[in-house]
Amino acid sequence: MNTMQIYDVTAYLDDHPGGADVLLAVTGMDGTDEFEDAGHSKDAKALMKDYFIGELDLDEAPDMPEMEVFRKEQDKDFASKLVDYAVQYWAIPVAAAGISAVVAILYARRK
Ligand code: HEM
């Protein structure tokens, strides 16, 4: 039977000597090559059973859809939103100062 072993390493992320990033990079994917490339010790392979959650029958299972990263960190237009807010905060005091100046000039001229 053509199978694939599934591991849930969520609880191991902080403890993995190779770091959480490499584990997250293969989330939802076949990480066999990456695991083998890291040259894991016998101890590491023995530890895997703690995180084993099941086996996938590749002959029966539908094709695994690739997981998609649909949002990376902040919104793309985060910077422009920040600029918009900055403009708002500037616009009101600047307008108030402008109006005061006009009123002051008119008041001064009246005398
Ligand atoms: C349940 C799954 C895993 C377990 C229990 C595990 C465990 C370990 C352990 C114990 C080490 C320390 C070195 C050793 O004893 O070999 C290690 C290192 C490492 N692991 Fe994993 N690992 C797992 C999955 C993965 C995966 C999927 C990747 C890659 C995508 C990976 C990449 C690495 C890397 C790059 C190192 C560092 C090697 C070094 O600096 O020498 N590991 N891992």
Side-chain angles (χ1 to χ4, degrees), residues 6-109:
I6 315 295
Y7 298 86
D8 178 357
V9 292
T10 314
Y12 191 51
L13 289 176
D14 288 343
D15 298 331
H16 182 227
D21 292 354
V22 289
L23 298 180
L24 292 172
V26 294
T27 300
M29 291 160 41
D30 180 359
T32 311
D33 292 346
E34 288 82 353
F35 181 86
E36 295 298 338
D37 288 351
H40 285 89
S41 65
K42 269 193 179 155
D43 285 351
K45 285 174 187 161
L47 200 61
M48 287 177 82
K49 70 170 188 333
D50 294 351
Y51 305 98
F52 179 76
I53 55 167
E55 218 163 22
L56 193 66
D57 179 351
L58 294 176
D59 299 324
E60 295 292 321
D63 283 347
M64 268 199 295
E66 287 251 333
M67 280 189 159
E68 201 184 330
V69 176
F70 61 93
R71 188 173 165 189
K72 266 193 181 165
E73 293 166 24
Q74 285 131 350
D75 282 342
K76 239 197 309 191
D77 58 349
F78 180 75
S80 59
K81 264 188 205 160
L82 206 68
V83 170
D84 288 349
Y85 285 130
V87 167
Q88 273 178 25
Y89 288 128
W90 270 102
I92 294 166
V94 166
I99 292 165
S100 308
V102 171
V103 171
I105 291 165
L106 293 178
Y107 185 76
R109 275 203 188 156

